[in-house]
Amino acid sequence: MTYNLLKGKKGIIFGALDEQSIAWKVAVKAYEEGAVFTLSNTPLALRFGNTRDLSVRCNAEIIPADATSVKDLENVIKRSMEVLGGKVDFILHSIGMSMNVRKSREYDDLDYDFYRKTIDISAMSFHKMIQVAKKNDAINDWGSIVALSYIAAQRTLYRYNDMADAKAMLESIARSFGYIYGREKNVRINTISQSPTRTTAGSGVKGIDALIDFTERMSPLGNATAGECADFCIVLFSDLSRKVTMQNIYHDGGFSAMGMSLKAMTQYKKSLEDE
């Protein structure tokens, strides 16, 4: 069911790789809700992903960019305004990568070159993106910027390593820039703390299946799916959330408020009995 929540709105969606990507599902939902937008990802991701199929499906131009490059981001912003015929109303930041996580480096044995890349790609790119948009006056009043985060920004989760630091920085950027952009242009900036999700990138993390099972047992409503996250992004892009800004919103079926659930305790006791 569609509601025309984004009818007449324009946007930029960063990070759509394939059908499993949250950004991909956001793009499809935004298109169904009446939005027009551009798509952006790295040249490497565009080569190995299916973004061109999404481009055809949503009639959206692809603008390749390395989100850590200010020059590339300037091109995305300016080209998007040319293609879409003016300022945009929403931007999605769905970008994150850690070589330390991919290579199973423990937090007390990080490769610092990888660490810097994690912060630059997963968090600093968000600041660069917003700063470039603001300097180019690229977002309409009451526009919306959303980035995807994770509860590891607040709580220690085994194996999440330096990505936790990046997510904490991401959420801080949303608050700090949210004040400035809100004060000057009524632009709102929020992060969504999503349930662990089996995206293409997430599936490559060791232990993801066990984590998803655990959070499913812990969450009273169960894990939020990628499609459900996309629905929530649409709400944050729409005029229904005009006074919501500088927030990190948990979209996790209640996991963030739980200490222990019956399902998780039952499984834990069973494992003790099996031992």
Side-chain angles (χ1 to χ4, degrees):
M1 183 179 292
T2 58
Y3 305 92
N4 286 323
L5 289 177
L6 301 184
K7 185 177 181 180
K9 294 193 180 295
K10 308 167 185 178
I12 306 171
I13 296 175
F14 288 87
L17 179 67
D18 56 29
E19 293 85 346
Q20 290 183 289
S21 304
I22 292 176
W24 180 293
K25 296 182 186 298
V26 171
V28 172
K29 291 281 186 180
Y31 181 70
E32 291 174 349
E33 291 294 337
V36 293
F37 48 85
T38 58
L39 300 167
S40 185
N41 212 326
T42 65
L44 183 64
L46 294 175
R47 191 154 57 246
F48 291 103
N50 301 327
T51 312
R52 300 193 187 286
D53 294 340
L54 180 65
S55 169
V56 172
R57 179 174 178 177
C58 298
N59 192 29
E61 180 169 319
I62 299 172
I63 308 172
D66 173 356
T68 67
S69 165
V70 171
K71 182 179 179 180
D72 282 10
L73 290 172
E74 287 175 341
N75 181 58
V76 173
I77 295 295
K78 291 175 181 178
R79 178 59 185 163
S80 293
M81 287 195 286
E82 290 176 5
V83 171
L84 302 174
K87 300 180 185 182
V88 301
D89 301 288
F90 64 87
I91 296 177
L92 176 70
H93 179 284
S94 181
I95 302 168
M97 194 280 291
S98 167
M99 288 303 299
N100 280 309
V101 172
R102 288 188 181 184
K103 292 184 177 295
S104 299
R105 299 291 295 259
E106 295 293 341
Y107 191 74
D108 58 354
D109 185 35
L110 294 181
D111 179 299
Y112 287 116
D113 286 333
F114 291 164
Y115 194 8
R116 281 189 287 270
K117 290 177 181 177
T118 297
I119 297 299
D120 197 14
I121 294 170
S122 308
M124 204 181 302
S125 64
F126 190 43
H127 191 286
K128 293 175 182 177
M129 187 181 297
I130 301 169
Q131 183 164 292
V132 168
K134 185 173 183 294
K135 286 186 175 182
N136 284 275
D137 193 23
I139 305 179
N140 284 314
D141 280 16
W142 300 106
S144 175
I145 303 172
V146 175
L148 300 180
S149 190
Y150 185 51
I151 197 172
Q154 286 81 33
R155 302 183 187 180
T156 300
L157 273 83
Y158 176 58
R159 290 188 186 276
Y160 206 67
N161 294 1
D162 57 345
M163 276 298 294
D165 299 343
K167 292 301 185 184
M169 183 175 176
L170 184 85
E171 293 175 13
S172 179
I173 290 168
R175 289 188 294 272
S176 298
F177 235 132
Y179 165 66
I180 295 170
Y181 225 153
R183 177 190 67 196
E184 297 182 10
K185 293 289 185 178
N186 293 322
V187 172
R188 55 200 194 273
I189 305 177
N190 297 287
T191 56
I192 297 175
S193 189
Q194 167 69 2
S195 297
T197 309
R198 197 177 281 103
T199 60
T200 299
S203 297
V205 177
K206 283 189 176 181
I208 186 68
D209 291 334
L211 176 61
I212 289 174
D213 179 76
F214 173 70
T215 54
E216 177 71 23
R217 293 175 190 275
M218 282 287 291
S219 307
L221 299 181
N223 288 329
T225 66
E228 289 166 337
C229 184
D231 288 336
F232 193 51
C233 286
I234 298 304
V235 173
L236 289 180
F237 292 156
S238 78
D239 293 334
L240 297 178
S241 57
R242 283 168 69 92
K243 292 299 175 70
V244 180
T245 193
M246 301 165 63
Q247 302 300 309
N248 177 56
I249 306 171
Y250 292 103
H251 186 255
D252 60 5
F255 175 82
S256 53
M258 289 296 299
M260 177 55 72
S261 71
L262 175 61
K263 286 183 178 180
M265 180 59 78
T266 300
Q267 184 63 26
Y268 177 67
K269 289 171 66 177
K270 183 177 183 299
S271 69
L272 292 178
E273 292 167 359
D274 290 344
E275 288 180 0

